[in-house]
């Protein structure tokens, strides 16, 4: 399982696109209830991903298994279906950037452990730093353009990390 975060500088905001890659090693489809229990506890989820409090414009990704994917109260939740084998859920949201900012911090947290975290700079000249992140092989954009990437092994369940995003010099201020 992996969390892949792609960041694109869009002037007054950062477009954050995330893909959570999931593995179901079993032979059965996993589907959790999407409603809260009678005791008032939140519904359980296969994936829970708190996003920044100022995030807006949440949308499902074009290739996502979106049936059980919801965004409410600042948290992305996926309840299934999780089919046997590999699959991904994809979504995006926007985070505002202060006008004179040269860098910003983006919190990253999953309710479940992930074997790997990958951060991708969708805009040339952008740098991403964070605990344990190291430069990784470039990844290809949808158009085939190479994009800078950083990766680290492991992201603990419920462990909040901060990605520090340095904006490209040509786009600062």
């Amino acid at each position: 399982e992996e969390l892949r975060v792609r960041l694109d500088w869009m002037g007054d905001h950062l477009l954050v696109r995330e893909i959570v890659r999931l593995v179901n090693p079993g032979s059965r489809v996993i589907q959790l209830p999407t409603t809260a229990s009678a005791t008032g506890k939140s519904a359980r989820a296969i994936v829970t991903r708190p996003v920044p409090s100022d995030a807006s414009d949440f949308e499902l990704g074009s290739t996502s298994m979106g049936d059980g994917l919801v965004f409410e109260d600042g948290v992305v939740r996926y309840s299934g279906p999780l089919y046997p084998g590999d699959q991904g859920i994809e979504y995006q949201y926007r985070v505002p950037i202060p006008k004179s900012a040269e860098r910003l911090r983006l919190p990253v947290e999953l309710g479940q452990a992930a074997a790997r975290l990958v951060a991708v700079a969708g805009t040339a000249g952008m740098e991403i730093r964070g605990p344990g992140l190291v430069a990784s092989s470039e990844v290809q954009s949808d158009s085939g353009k190479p994009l800078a990437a950083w990766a680290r092994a492991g992201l603990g369940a419920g462990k909040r990390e901060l990605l520090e995003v340095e904006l490209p010099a040509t786009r600062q201020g």
Side-chain angles (χ1 to χ4, degrees):
E1 288 143 350
E2 171 184 280
L3 173 61
R4 182 174 294 239
V5 179
R6 176 178 165 165
L7 305 173
D8 289 281
W9 175 250
M10 307 296 282
D12 63 347
H13 66 273
L14 204 62
L15 178 62
V16 182
R17 297 181 218 180
E18 298 184 347
I19 299 173
V20 181
R21 297 196 186 280
L22 303 167
V23 177
N24 177 355
S27 60
R28 294 178 176 244
V29 175
I30 299 170
Q31 177 70 57
L32 300 177
T34 58
T35 57
S37 68
T39 63
K41 291 185 179 179
S42 295
R44 288 184 8 188
I46 295 167
V47 172
T48 55
R49 164 74 171 103
V51 299
S53 60
D54 54 356
S56 64
D57 300 326
F58 178 84
E59 294 180 24
L60 295 176
S62 60
T63 62
S64 184
M65 296 291 298
D67 297 344
L69 187 64
V70 295
F71 176 67
E72 58 188 12
D73 300 325
V75 178
V76 177
R77 289 183 177 83
Y78 181 66
S79 59
L82 179 57
Y83 297 99
D86 298 342
Q87 95 183 40
I89 56 170
E90 181 180 350
Y91 51 88
Q92 68 182 33
Y93 55 91
R94 297 175 191 272
V95 176
I97 302 295
K99 188 170 184 149
S100 61
E102 294 180 7
R103 63 181 48 93
L104 81 111
R105 291 184 174 174
L106 182 73
V108 176
E109 177 184 349
L110 278 174
Q112 300 72 22
R116 183 172 146 109
L117 169 65
V118 178
V120 177
T123 304
M126 182 182 286
E127 295 283 328
I128 303 172
R129 295 179 188 87
L133 279 180
V134 295
S136 180
S137 301
E138 291 180 332
V139 297
Q140 299 294 315
S141 70
D142 294 339
S143 64
K145 181 176 87 170
L147 302 173
W150 297 262
R152 65 172 268 184
L155 181 62
K159 181 153 174 54
R160 185 174 188 239
E161 300 284 359
L162 289 175
L163 297 181
E164 185 169 307
V165 182
E166 187 173 324
L167 303 174
T170 58
R171 305 222 178 185
Q172 293 176 3

